[in-house]
Amino acid sequence: EDQVTQSPEALRLQEGESSSLNCSYTVSGLRGLFWYRQDPGKGPEFLFTLYSAGEEKEKERLKATLTKKESFLHITAPKPEDSATYLCAVQPGSGQNFVFGPGTRLSVLP
Amino acid sequence: DSGVTQTPKHLITATGQRVTLRCSPRSGDLSVYWYQQSLDQGLQFLIQYYNGEERAKGNILERFSAQQFPDLHSELNLSSLELGDSALYFCASSRGDGSGNTIYFGEGSWLTVV
């Protein structure tokens, strides 16, 4: 069964304190791994797509990396506006369905 | 703004009733997906349509149904509503049939069943 887990479940950082979020997956083949940011009561906002191990993508203070078993979302010098839930999703090679992880709830304190 | 439009934004209805949620995908996108997100629950995939045809089915209850129309907008019909159906319902869309495509989400429809 295709599965996605994320850790930690929740993370509190001080402004400027860099850290990483983890997404571990077990899928039969991988068509893509996706990172989204979700604010409370809002729709998930697309951040990155990664397709193969070794790939990296960057956007402002965020950097996503991918290995064969997991992906990391690195947050460098976070600001309070980075507070949100970060969701990881994978698209297995067997079909079109996206499998979402439970998310990491990030709080950045000023 | 993702370009995916959902209506209504909020809906309060009674148990046993039926509601319809509407979604307009991004311009040029052929696939529409429906997801459910309950309090403290992750995103649960319900169903996908591609160019008017059902493409994939997830954990969608028999009381729920969906369709995609020729203009590519989609509707999710929820009937015989129960308290447990209260949730955020998201529509998402992608350019192709979903294979390797990024999916973009709307802002969701809040459904409260009382």
Side-chain angles (χ1 to χ4, degrees), chain A residues 38 41-44, chain B residues 1-11 20-26 32-37 43 46 73-76 78 87-93 104-111:
Chain A
Q38 186 176 25
K42 300 284 190 180
Chain B
D1 182 4
S2 68
V4 179
T5 305
Q6 290 188 247
T7 57
K9 290 191 178 354
H10 300 273
L11 193 56
T20 297
L21 309 181
R22 195 179 191 278
C23 170
S24 294
R26 294 186 319 153
V32 167
Y33 309 76
W34 287 98
Y35 284 83
Q36 179 193 57
Q37 188 175 45
L43 280 163
L46 296 178
H73 92 270
S74 178
E75 292 180 356
L76 178 66
L78 313 174
L88 247 180
Y89 290 85
F90 288 109
C91 172
S93 72
Y104 295 88
F105 285 83
E107 287 302 302
S109 292
W110 276 101
L111 172 65

Side-chain angles (χ1 to χ4, degrees), chain A residues 31 36 38 49 51 91 97, chain B residues 37 56 98-100 102-103 107:
Chain A
R31 293 197 182 194
Y36 291 83
Q38 186 176 25
T49 305
Y51 291 107
Q91 188 180 45
N97 297 359
Chain B
Q37 188 175 45
S99 178
T102 298
I103 61 173
E107 287 302 302

Side-chain angles (χ1 to χ4, degrees), chain A residues 30-104:
Chain A
L30 179 71
R31 293 197 182 194
L33 184 140
F34 305 81
W35 282 99
Y36 291 83
R37 167 197 169 122
Q38 186 176 25
D39 292 305
K42 300 284 190 180
E45 176 189 344
F46 169 70
L47 295 174
F48 303 109
T49 305
L50 302 166
Y51 291 107
S52 56
E55 192 174 357
E56 299 182 352
K57 294 265 179 82
E58 274 190 80
K59 179 182 177 181
E60 295 179 357
R61 295 179 292 283
L62 300 176
K63 179 180 177 180
T65 61
L66 180 64
T67 72
K68 287 187 177 178
K69 296 288 186 187
E70 58 192 350
S71 176
F72 292 93
L73 185 65
H74 307 278
I75 303 177
T76 302
K79 298 182 178 182
E81 52 261 43
D82 295 323
S83 297
T85 295
Y86 290 84
L87 299 169
C88 169
V90 297
Q91 188 180 45
S94 56
Q96 289 82 24
N97 297 359
F98 283 65
V99 180
F100 277 83
T104 292

Side-chain angles (χ1 to χ4, degrees), chain B residues 11-19 78 81 83 86 111-114:
Chain B
L11 193 56
I12 301 174
T13 190
T15 54
Q17 295 298 304
R18 172 190 169 93
V19 298
L78 313 174
L81 285 167
L83 295 177
S86 296
L111 172 65
T112 302
V113 182
V114 297

